């Protein structure tokens, strides 16, 4: 018999002159059911010879009995159906043994043996029969199996006569009409997968069609329910003997299982289409089922889907709305691929729903506990090889979502067909998409609890689009670092005991228009020339609004794309390290903006923010505060701190707005906040978070320093977390803290006219009252040179000469004061205008063609020399946090506007710093000094001509005189330049 050619569509095509029958009406279905009852009795009589053979085979199960049964069945089928393709001997034996079973059941003679024998033989089908038969899923129920076997017997006998043949066809059409779901029309519209396999057994094709028709007439239940209703041929149930019950309880072997419909059930179908399915992998993909392996694919807009497994090629049935299914008579799920045909293109791909989860129980446990210190390796989008297949793993935490789908450039931003699965109670959703790689854009489409949908950027995206675009980008790093020496050395000396002067930079505006790699060619050389030990970069993490300077973060794990890729940023850090410059970054764990595509109410309910609106809303910035008491949120931030240090070799984190985190009543009026469990104003959750963050970073990344921008007198900001202070709290665990009090007081003093400064002298000395309560950084940051505060030089009173002299004297005082130094870009050359992120520093002031260029270059040269001497003088940094490293010479000379003090290294080697904040020269100004220094010489004089000063100096070594002064046994006489600071070292 010539095989039928393959169909190119999902519906079988008729051959020449053949007409595809129309689907019958409900009345026709009933008529077909009645007609099957008459031939059933006649068939029973005809089966008498077969009955004896079946009994013999059942009792003795001998080879002779089975052979006789097979021969008899073969002859019977050949005699009665000469015009139909001949069934196999096994099929004929199945028919006769089925009749024998039914007769035995009616007479109650050896019911158990006959039933078992009939059941075993009745379900022996060829692969083509299995693929075309829609059967009940509840095949393990003994009563149901008996009914199914009876119907099979009736159908097999009825199929032997031409009269019943037509009735069987009508019955088949009736079931197709009765099935309500369009995807279940498998009886009237044969699946292409069935066609392909049916060709291999042409002799059984006709018999399979008749057998199917009889069974579908007997059972009216929809395919998706998989539970047969009452048979069209009524039977009187016989009472089960104990032996029968025991047999029914046994596990049914595979050859006795009743096949089920492969189509997606109506409930699952609706949830998949609506984006609310929690476990699409349990429905889609390939699954062993009674009768074989069910293949189900959900490919919206596809014209056809074909399964390819080795030499097997089977086209799935088009169930409508993007669903395709087929039942293949396989013992186990094979390795397979899908060929998906769209209009104008054909794709061969792996099935995303055949893969096991990419996240293990340990990952999920750690996430739930809030202890996954490498969270970025678990969540987000990761190109990877999974089960031997390359693709991208997507994972996101969204516990309140009803469903999550992935949308991106790879599916034309329609996530309908890429449904993620929920991994238990973790709140994590995961999906591995094969053949998706680096550079693709994506977002998560989240179905909220109220059924509405929102498209969100990945909270753990490691790369983003360039703002104002907001998509996340799949990325992986191939960067090879060249800073191994730097990383190995940075842990040798703690930051508070090492030279530490910081140049703060707003990267996008330092040299507007430069990328990370272009900055890497210019920035390291500039900073190294000025002598700074570190740079502090702002902003780094992605943010939508440039005017926020990076302090309203939406991409906590992604360097801003404005300047390049993540690997480009790595290149910049690497080049700075190779130049001997440490890299700090501003880190913002206090709050985040309300953008509808980012973290705010991420899955439809407060998630990253506190559920209490009063606790969530930040009163100053219109942002939302993190819920530090939630495990997963705390984990998100702690892991983020580690991420920057480990993945980008960042040497330190300057933590923004710590005070706003520590106090429940920060910027809130009475009634706008709720006390903690002890009735206090401290945010205990934030305290615990900061302690955990610091402890984790210092443990995992030796040599890294954390710096708190904390503007209050909180006790123990830089104290170890396990050491409790007077307040009862352990320390927060920071390495350094910005000394906001010193910054405010000293700038306030410098802004006064010199004639009035004597009335504010304490503003310059008060810092030494608490200088050793914390490990301090003295910050002249971006916050002090914007928004009407004026640049540093413009804060100074007097004319242009006095302003520049004031800046020079102030910088000299600052570099000598206990604590580390930080200076914002542009202030190193006395820029007169306020900084703006829109245009950056006024570099033209250093153009040799500009008339006042020497004035600005002089201030920059002073900064270079301050850093050079500072780094070479341990007395200025070795005991920054130890009172033994500081001694006042004179701190009460308010009328003179003079301050003088000693800085000492551990060996007692001193540096004498003297500042004259009056605009007059003071000749022979006597200062007490130690008597063990034979002579002093100037190391720095901010009034030197090369800095733009009046060049009042002490060029010769100054020797002490045995004149007691300022409580010391010896003294020296100096000429103090106007508005200047002088450093003297032992000659």
């Amino acid at each position: 018999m010539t095989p039928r050619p393959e169909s190119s569509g999902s519906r079988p095509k008729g051959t020449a002159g053949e007409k595809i029958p129309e689907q019958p009406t409900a009345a026709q279905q009933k008529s077909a059911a009645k007609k099957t009852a008459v031939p059933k009795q006649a068939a029973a009589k005809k089966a008498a010879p077969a009955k004896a053979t079946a009994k013999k085979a059942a009792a003795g199960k001998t080879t002779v009995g089975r052979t006789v049964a097979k021969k008899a069945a073969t002859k019977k089928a050949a005699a009665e159906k000469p015009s139909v393709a001949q069934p196999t001997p096994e099929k004929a034996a199945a028919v006769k043994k089925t009749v024998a079973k039914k007769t035995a059941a009616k007479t109650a003679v050896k019911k158990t043996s006959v039933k078992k024998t009939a059941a075993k033989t009745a379900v022996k089908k060829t692969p083509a029969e299995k693929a075309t038969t829609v059967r009940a899923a509840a095949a393990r129920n003994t009563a149901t199996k008996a009914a199914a076997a009876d119907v099979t017997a009736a159908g097999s006998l009825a199929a032997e006569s031409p009269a019943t043949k037509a009735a069987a066809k009508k019955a088949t059409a009736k079931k197709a009409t009765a099935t309500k779901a369009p995807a279940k029309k498998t009886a009237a519209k044969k699946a292409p997968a069935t066609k392909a396999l049916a060709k291999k057994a042409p002799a059984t094709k006709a018999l399979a069609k008749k057998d199917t028709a009889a069974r579908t007439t007997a059972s009216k239940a929809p395919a998706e329910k998989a539970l047969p209703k009452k048979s069209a041929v009524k039977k009187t149930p016989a009472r089960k003997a104990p032996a029968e019950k025991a047999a029914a309880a046994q596990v049914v072997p595979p050859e006795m299982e009743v096949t089920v419909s492969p189509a997606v059930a109506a409930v699952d179908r609706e949830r998949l289409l609506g984006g609310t399915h929690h476990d699409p992998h349990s429905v889609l993909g390939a699954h062993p089922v009674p009768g074989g392996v069910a293949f189900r694919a959900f490919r919206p807009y596809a014209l056809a889907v074909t399964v390819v497994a080795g030499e097997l090629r089977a086209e799935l049935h088009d169930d409508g709305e993007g669903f395709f299914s087929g039942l293949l008579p396989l013992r186990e799920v094979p390795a397979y691929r899908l060929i998906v045909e769209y209009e104008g293109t054909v794709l061969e791909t792996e099935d995303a729903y055949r893969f096991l989860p990419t996240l293990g129980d340990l990952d999920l446990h750690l996430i739930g506990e809030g202890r996954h210190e490498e969270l970025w390796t678990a969540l987000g989008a990761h190109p990877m090889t999974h089960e031997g297949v390359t693709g991208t793993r997507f994972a996101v935490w969204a516990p309140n979502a009803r469903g999550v789908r992935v949308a991106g450039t790879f599916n034309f931003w329609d996530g309908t067909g890429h449904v993620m699965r929920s991994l238990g109670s973790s709140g994590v959703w995961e999906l591995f998409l094969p053949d998706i790689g680096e550079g693709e854009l994506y977002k998560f489409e989240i179905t909220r609890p109220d059924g509405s949908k929102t498209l969100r950027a990945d909270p753990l995206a490691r790369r983003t689009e360039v703002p104002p675009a907001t998509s996340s980008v799949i990325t992986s790093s191939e960067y090879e670092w060249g800073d191994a020496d730097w990383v190995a050395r940075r842990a040798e000396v703690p930051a508070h005991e090492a030279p530490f002067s910081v140049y703060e930079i707003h990267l996008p505006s330092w040299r507007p228009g430069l990328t990370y790699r272009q900055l890497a060619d210019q920035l390291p050389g500039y900073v190294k020339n000025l002598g700074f030990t570190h740079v502090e970069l702002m902003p780094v993490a992605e943010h939508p609004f440039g005017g926020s300077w990076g302090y309203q973060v939406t991409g906590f794990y992604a360097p801003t794309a404005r300047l390049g890729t993540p690997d480009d940023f790595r290149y910049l850090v690497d080049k700075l390290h190779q130049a001997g410059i440490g890299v700090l970054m501003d880190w913002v764990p206090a709050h985040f903006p309300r953008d509808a595509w980012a973290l705010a109410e991420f899955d439809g309910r407060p998630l990253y923010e506190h559920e209490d609106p009063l606790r969530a809303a930040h009163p100053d910035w219109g942002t939302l505060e993190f819920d530090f008491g939630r495990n997963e949120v705390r984990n998100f931030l702690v892991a983020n701190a580690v991420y920057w240090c480990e993945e980008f070799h960042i040497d330190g984190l300057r933590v923004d707005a710590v005070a706003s985190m520590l106090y429940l009543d920060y910027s809130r009026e009475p009634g706008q906040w709720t006390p903690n469990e002890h009735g206090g104003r401290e945010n205990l959750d934030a305290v615990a978070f900061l302690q955990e963050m610091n402890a984790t970073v210092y443990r995992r990344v030796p040599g890294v320093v954390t710096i708190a921008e904390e503007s209050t007198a909180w006790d123990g900001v830089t104290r170890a977390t396990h050491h409790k202070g007077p307040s009862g709290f352990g320390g927060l665990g920071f390495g350094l803290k910005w000394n906001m009090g010193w910054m405010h007081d000293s700038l306030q003093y410098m802004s006064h006219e010199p004639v009035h400064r004597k009335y504010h002298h304490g503003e310059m000395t008060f810092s030494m009252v608490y200088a050793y309560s914390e490990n301090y950084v003295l910050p002249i940051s971006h916050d002090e040179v914007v928004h009407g505060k004026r640049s540093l030089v413009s804060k100074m009173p007097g004319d242009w000469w006095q302003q520049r002299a004031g800046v020079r004297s102030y910088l000299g005082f600052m570099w000598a004061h206990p604590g580390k130094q930080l200076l914002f870009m542009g202030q190193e050359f006395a820029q007169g205008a306020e900084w703006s992120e829109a245009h950056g520093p006024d570099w033209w002031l250093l153009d040799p063609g500009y008339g006042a260029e020497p004035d600005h270059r002089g201030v920059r040269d002073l900064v270079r020399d301050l850093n050079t001497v500072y780094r070479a003088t341990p007395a200025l940094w070795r005991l920054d946090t130890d009172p033994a490293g500081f001694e006042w010479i004179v701190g009460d000379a308010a009328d003179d506007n003079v301050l003088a003090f000693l800085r000492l290294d551990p060996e007692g080697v001193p540096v004498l710093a003297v500042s004259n904040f009056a605009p007059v020269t003071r000749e022979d100004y006597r200062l007490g000094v130690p008597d063990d220094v034979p002579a002093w010489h100037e190391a720095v004089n901010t009034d030197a001509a090369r800095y733009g000063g009046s060049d009042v100096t002490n060029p010769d070594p100054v020797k002490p005189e045995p004149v007691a002064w300022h409580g010391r046994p010896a003294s020296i006489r100096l000429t103090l330049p106007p508005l200047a600071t002088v450093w003297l070292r032992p000659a």
Side-chain angles (χ1 to χ4, degrees), residues 833-870:
E834 281 189 342
W835 167 70
S836 169
E837 78 284 348
H839 58 73
D842 294 333
W843 294 108
W844 55 271
L845 296 173
L846 297 173
D847 187 342
Y850 175 59
E853 182 267 344
D855 297 342
H856 299 280
R857 179 167 42 82
V859 175
R860 189 181 65 175
D861 290 345
L862 171 65
V863 171
R864 179 193 301 112
D865 290 349
L866 287 173
N867 275 320
T868 301
V869 176
Y870 167 80

Side-chain angles (χ1 to χ4, degrees), residues 476-517:
S476 61
S477 176
E478 303 296 333
Y479 189 76
E480 296 183 5
W481 290 90
D483 63 348
D485 290 342
W486 168 269
V487 173
R489 292 195 314 269
R490 69 181 178 184
E492 293 176 355
V493 181
H496 63 278
E497 296 179 359
F500 196 93
S501 60
V502 182
Y503 183 57
E504 188 184 25
I505 305 166
H506 180 262
L507 278 178
S509 68
W510 184 74
R511 296 277 190 178
L514 297 188
T515 64
Y516 288 128
R517 289 186 178 268

Side-chain angles (χ1 to χ4, degrees), residues 29 174-185 220-224:
Q29 287 181 319
K174 175 184 175 183
K175 176 161 186 183
T177 303
T179 304
K180 294 182 180 180
K184 307 301 183 291
K185 297 179 181 179
K220 297 181 181 180
E224 63 271 14

Side-chain angles (χ1 to χ4, degrees), residues 371-421:
R371 302 292 181 183
H372 203 307
E373 295 177 0
E374 296 180 358
L375 185 66
W376 68 92
T377 65
L379 301 183
H382 290 268
M384 63 189 305
T385 298
H386 180 48
E387 297 182 16
V389 176
T390 58
T392 296
R393 186 270 312 287
F394 297 90
V396 63
W397 178 59
N400 297 313
R402 292 178 57 190
V404 183
R405 303 189 286 203
V406 183
T409 50
F410 44 85
N411 57 18
F412 302 97
W413 293 103
D414 185 347
T416 306
H418 288 151
V419 187
M420 303 181 75
R421 62 178 151 203

Side-chain angles (χ1 to χ4, degrees), residues 173 198 557 654:
Y557 285 78
R654 177 265 191 184

